[in-house]
Amino acid sequence: MVEMLITQIQVEPPDRDLEKEHFMRDVKEEMHNVYAGSVQPVFTGPMTICIHEADGSPYDHMIDIKEQVTKVDILYNTKYKRLKRSRRQKERMAAASGLDYNPDGNDDVLLYCLGDVLQSEEEMQEWRLADWGKDQEDQMNQESYEWIRMDANFEWICKMSIGMPGYMYLSQLQQDKEVIAQLESIQYMAAQREHALISTILVRTLMDTRYFHGIRTAAAAALAKHGKDELDWLGLYHLEKAFTELFCYRDSMTKANDFSDRAAYYIQCAIPKAISKIRDNSGKAPMRVRTFLLDKLKYNDNSINEYSDNYYIATLMDALADAVASKPAPSAELEEDIMVFSDEDDGDHLHFHNACIDQLDRYRRFDEWLPSYHNILSITALNCRRKLMMARAIDDNAASFVDYTRDGTADFVRLAAFDNLLEMGLARKEVILRWFLFSMGTDPSPYFRQHMLRLLGKMLGSIAIGVQTESTTTAMEQDGLIIEEEGSTEARQAELARKQTVPGALAALKQEVSGNEVLKEGIWAAVRSSAPSLMEMKELLDLCALLYEPRTEIKLRLKYPRYWKCTKIGPTKLHFYPTERFRTKPRPKPAVGAPMPFPVAGSSPVSAAMSNATSMAPPRRPIFKPPRRPSQGSAGSAGDVEMRNSSPAEEKPRLKIKLKVGGIKMEGGGK
């Protein structure tokens, strides 16, 4: 019987630091009030528990979880007592002594499992493998089952931690047929402290071709953790030995590439990547690591391979750049005429450092003459150069990236060049920022514009969370003592809110870019451009709403009207011109229907008529009739015009007007 205690732990997610890659997504979720729901205290439902007993048979047990703490008792039946390892050990001992081991008459159940390679004594000595101790063997022999798998049918979405001994995880790795179960065992071993026995298990997994290639590559990545000085670089030795055994001749000369086996190709790429992660106690890559990677890149041979090795070369370039960037460039004063780099001090020689840089640059120039697939070599070379510049392994040179951002270059290369410029913080320079925004708003490629918008959000995210700003804590050295001066409590709280909360990050971002006119003009020029699509226009406008406060008013500038003057310059000519006097008050509106005022005595008829015309409101439209021909006895003259209002019953007095203009006398009358 197996007693199990299942406990559910539901905790609120801790405050995580904002990431520049996902900053814009977090901002949009904050704008639209998209938050994670409240944590449910208890989840209920069935769970399948699989017990693998010593006879190799899995037994499934279904339990029902209804409470936060569930205690269950699971029965199992078996007559075997974990004798498989004992039998294999007996076989090894018999083979070592030259005797034949006869398993007949024994109750041992032997299931040949995965990972049972490198078992002979010669191989164990050559590979520096470790074995279980006597105490661990005795403890394993007391167990009545091999291992237990919780939620074998993947019915629960959760992070599960099982209090199971390490040798049971080894049985799960070697005997379970499911890849997920094998991966869980690899993840458990990768989380443990470095140990010779774990390194042995991982290298046997790596060398067993019956495993899925994803399990083998995971084992190679986990081996990098065991490449420590405390273990005499055992993990590094296992990785080098595995690469030599699989892809080199006996004299350690690398074989020509052969990518016909897909699983072997993945292993060939994974081992150099894992070796590049090995560091010594000071955090630097050992000389042994850099020499291995440089040799594999220098002597790569793809002459008889029918497949392209572009991605494999890119992997080697990236691995070599990671190793070289782990320590700064050596000084030119250390340069000596030494060509053998067997000692660690010789590894800092300037010749070796320059050889690594030249090898990376060689493939960049090669890609310009014979382009690789999607220019993967040029993109990798740019990324490697950025790593080396940020690690102070080479001198900063922004022009080397700007050259690849010009129009006519492939979109993948241009995006990689812009990305590296932003990663190095060069977007704070107005010239580069203006060129970046201009390219984003005017390029005809939708793919390029969309990824440039993503890079813009990544750049703003790095500014918002303070990635490119100096720390508020300053250190001063006085008389051999380092005194750390910290800011005030409010400053520390603001810095913490800037890194963990979206409102705090937005407030810091607005403060940082408030005076940046280049950014404002560049974004607005991109909005007004005809190249962006509707979706890109929406993204830009949302970005404007985040960075700047909206204004709901506009100021208009109008000129005051001037007073005009009129001057008579001839018998029939008048000159109208504005004066310097402004009209600051509106003119009063006369009452509708007011009678026309009579001219003032002493004023000229023309000025009186003009004054009346400007001061009177227009009357209602009269009804005109064609003039009648006056009779001979009529008192009116030929110039009389009869006017009637719209109301025929209304009679108005007749008014006679005499005008004298230019010596011509005119008479008229009207009602």
Side-chain angles (χ1 to χ4, degrees):
M1 179 180 294
V2 180
E3 295 182 357
M4 303 187 65
L5 184 65
I6 302 175
T7 305
Q8 296 188 44
I9 302 176
Q10 310 291 344
V11 295
E12 292 289 341
D15 294 334
R16 62 175 180 88
D17 292 342
L18 298 176
E19 300 178 359
K20 59 182 180 181
E21 290 81 5
H22 310 292
F23 175 73
M24 293 306 299
R25 177 178 178 178
D26 295 335
V27 169
K28 291 178 181 178
E29 291 178 354
E30 183 74 18
M31 290 175 55
H32 297 88
N33 299 324
V34 179
Y35 304 106
S38 58
V39 177
Q40 185 174 339
V42 178
F43 290 88
T44 61
M47 176 181 289
T48 304
I49 299 177
C50 184
I51 298 180
H52 292 257
E53 300 184 8
D55 61 350
S57 302
Y59 295 92
D60 294 340
H61 302 271
M62 184 73 66
I63 63 172
D64 193 12
I65 298 178
K66 297 181 179 179
E67 299 177 355
Q68 185 175 5
V69 179
T70 304
K71 184 177 181 181
V72 295
D73 297 332
I74 301 177
L75 298 176
Y76 66 94
N77 298 312
T78 183
K79 62 178 180 179
Y80 304 103
K81 295 289 186 181
R82 289 184 63 92
L83 299 178
K84 296 183 291 299
R85 288 188 182 82
S86 299
R87 180 172 176 178
R88 283 199 297 270
Q89 188 176 10
K90 293 176 183 178
E91 288 179 348
R92 289 201 303 267
M93 294 176 61
S97 59
L99 301 177
D100 294 334
Y101 175 69
N102 186 12
D104 296 338
N106 296 329
D107 293 333
D108 298 357
V109 177
L110 179 60
L111 297 176
Y112 289 100
C113 54
L114 302 175
D116 56 354
V117 297
L118 305 177
Q119 296 287 342
S120 65
E121 294 295 334
E122 294 80 5
E123 290 175 334
M124 293 188 66
Q125 292 179 2
E126 181 184 359
W127 287 75
R128 295 166 54 183
L129 303 179
D131 204 349
W132 298 94
K134 186 177 183 306
D135 296 338
Q136 295 171 329
E137 287 283 352
D138 294 340
Q139 185 178 1
M140 287 189 292
N141 293 334
Q142 297 300 323
E143 299 291 347
S144 300
Y145 56 90
E146 291 290 329
W147 75 95
I148 298 178
R149 279 203 67 196
M150 304 291 294
D151 191 25
N153 295 333
F154 308 104
E155 299 164 333
W156 290 67
I157 303 177
C158 63
K159 181 179 180 181
M160 194 170 299
S161 177
I162 306 174
M164 197 165 56
Y167 53 81
M168 290 190 178
Y169 279 101
L170 174 60
S171 299
Q172 179 175 324
L173 173 64
Q174 293 180 342
Q175 300 178 36
D176 204 316
K177 298 180 181 180
E178 293 187 4
V179 176
I180 298 299
Q182 299 171 5
L183 182 60
E184 290 176 356
S185 300
I186 292 292
Q187 292 174 347
Y188 170 82
M189 295 179 184
Q192 304 304 310
R193 295 185 58 184
E194 52 272 7
H195 195 276
L197 184 58
I198 298 179
S199 182
T200 299
I201 296 172
L202 293 175
V203 74
R204 283 174 173 168
T205 304
L206 175 61
M207 295 302 295
D208 195 344
T209 58
R210 294 171 296 177
Y211 277 108
F212 177 61
H213 64 79
I215 302 299
R216 298 174 66 190
T217 55
L223 271 171
K225 184 178 181 180
H226 303 273
K228 297 292 184 181
D229 193 12
E230 293 80 5
L231 296 178
D232 195 18
W233 308 104
L234 183 59
L236 177 58
Y237 176 79
H238 284 164
L239 288 171
E240 291 178 341
K241 184 69 174 176
F243 192 91
T244 304
E245 186 73 18
L246 295 174
F247 309 108
C248 297
Y249 297 105
R250 292 192 177 275
D251 56 353
S252 299
M253 182 178 179
T254 307
K255 297 179 182 179
N257 295 331
D258 183 11
F259 297 157
S260 58
D261 187 356
R262 185 178 181 182
Y265 168 75
Y266 286 123
I267 302 302
Q268 190 173 355
C269 293
I271 292 179
K273 189 183 300 183
I275 291 178
S276 67
K277 305 300 181 184
I278 296 177
R279 299 290 183 269
D280 56 13
N281 295 331
S282 61
K284 301 176 182 179
M287 176 61 191
R288 182 173 163 187
V289 170
R290 287 174 286 161
T291 304
F292 175 86
L293 296 174
L294 179 61
D295 291 342
K296 297 302 175 285
L297 184 61
K298 181 185 296 185
Y299 301 111
N300 176 67
D301 183 11
N302 203 58
S303 58
I304 62 174
N305 189 16
E306 60 178 345
Y307 298 96
S308 172
D309 63 343
N310 292 333
Y311 279 92
Y312 176 63
I313 293 177
T315 302
L316 292 176
M317 293 173 62
D318 191 65
L320 180 60
D322 286 340
V324 174
S326 63
K327 54 194 320 179
S331 175
E333 299 177 356
L334 300 177
E335 183 176 0
E336 298 176 0
D337 295 331
I338 302 176
M339 300 306 296
V340 180
F341 310 115
S342 58
D343 192 278
E344 179 66 21
D345 295 334
D346 295 340
D348 291 334
H349 199 275
L350 190 60
H351 288 317
F352 180 81
H353 182 82
N354 291 336
C356 296
I357 305 302
D358 293 342
Q359 195 65 28
L360 295 174
D361 197 59
R362 169 176 169 264
Y363 283 99
R364 180 190 61 82
R365 296 192 305 268
F366 179 78
D367 193 50
E368 295 179 356
W369 291 97
L370 186 62
S372 58
Y373 178 72
H374 283 179
N375 297 101
I376 185 63
L377 296 183
S378 295
I379 295 174
T380 306
L382 292 176
N383 295 335
C384 294
R385 180 174 296 181
R386 186 253 307 167
K387 292 179 184 178
L388 297 173
M389 287 183 181
M390 296 182 68
R392 298 292 186 267
I394 59 176
D395 297 333
D396 292 343
N397 185 12
S400 60
F401 297 104
V402 177
D403 292 340
Y404 288 91
T405 62
R406 295 177 298 178
D407 293 338
T409 311
D411 289 346
F412 301 101
V413 181
R414 294 183 67 192
L415 290 172
F418 276 119
D419 189 13
N420 288 307
L421 286 174
L422 299 184
E423 285 288 338
M424 297 179 63
L426 296 178
R428 292 183 177 272
K429 296 184 178 181
E430 294 185 357
V431 176
I432 295 180
L433 181 59
R434 185 179 289 108
W435 171 239
F436 174 84
L437 296 174
F438 176 79
S439 301
M440 180 188 67
T442 59
D443 196 88
S445 171
Y447 175 85
F448 181 80
R449 294 195 307 268
Q450 185 66 29
H451 282 266
M452 290 289 283
L453 278 173
R454 180 183 58 82
L455 293 179
L456 177 61
K458 183 179 177 180
M459 178 195 71
L460 295 177
S462 63
I463 297 176
I465 64 180
V467 173
Q468 300 176 0
T469 58
E470 297 181 355
S471 176
T472 56
T473 303
T474 59
M476 296 185 302
E477 185 176 354
Q478 297 178 355
D479 299 332
L481 298 177
I482 297 178
I483 303 176
E484 294 185 356
E485 294 185 356
E486 297 183 356
S488 61
T489 305
E490 293 79 5
R492 291 197 301 269
Q493 291 178 354
E495 186 69 19
L496 184 62
R498 177 180 188 175
K499 294 183 178 298
Q500 293 185 351
T501 63
V502 176
L506 286 178
L509 178 61
K510 291 180 180 179
Q511 184 179 1
E512 290 282 346
V513 303
S514 59
N516 195 332
E517 295 295 331
V518 176
L519 179 63
K520 183 187 300 183
E521 295 174 0
I523 293 178
W524 187 242
V527 171
R528 298 177 59 186
S529 176
S530 59
S533 62
L534 293 178
M535 183 60 67
E536 296 164 358
M537 190 79 67
K538 177 182 177 300
E539 295 285 341
L540 291 172
L541 292 177
D542 290 343
L543 196 59
C544 293
L546 289 176
L547 299 179
Y548 309 105
E549 295 294 334
R551 292 183 180 179
T552 57
E553 60 180 9
I554 184 172
K555 294 182 179 180
L556 297 178
R557 188 174 180 180
L558 302 177
K559 295 182 179 180
Y560 282 122
R562 298 174 181 266
Y563 285 93
W564 289 70
K565 283 188 177 181
C566 178
T567 303
K568 182 179 179 181
I569 59 177
T572 59
K573 294 183 179 180
L574 299 177
H575 179 213
F576 294 88
Y577 59 92
T579 63
E580 298 297 330
R581 181 184 174 190
F582 295 95
R583 187 186 299 275
T584 59
K585 295 182 180 180
R587 297 174 58 186
K589 296 182 179 181
V592 179
M596 182 182 296
F598 290 96
V600 183
S603 61
S604 66
V606 176
S607 61
M610 291 178 58
S611 176
N612 294 336
T614 57
S615 62
M616 287 184 60
R620 289 179 296 178
R621 183 177 181 182
I623 300 178
F624 290 93
K625 287 186 177 183
R628 295 180 304 175
R629 184 175 184 179
S631 58
Q632 295 180 359
S634 166
S637 62
D640 293 340
V641 178
E642 183 178 357
M643 300 176 60
R644 294 184 180 180
N645 202 347
S646 59
S647 178
E650 186 176 341
E651 294 290 341
K652 292 186 178 181
R654 183 181 296 272
L655 177 64
K656 290 186 178 182
I657 301 177
K658 294 183 180 181
L659 299 177
K660 186 176 182 181
V661 180
I664 302 175
K665 184 177 181 181
M666 299 179 61
E667 293 184 0
K671 293 182 180 180

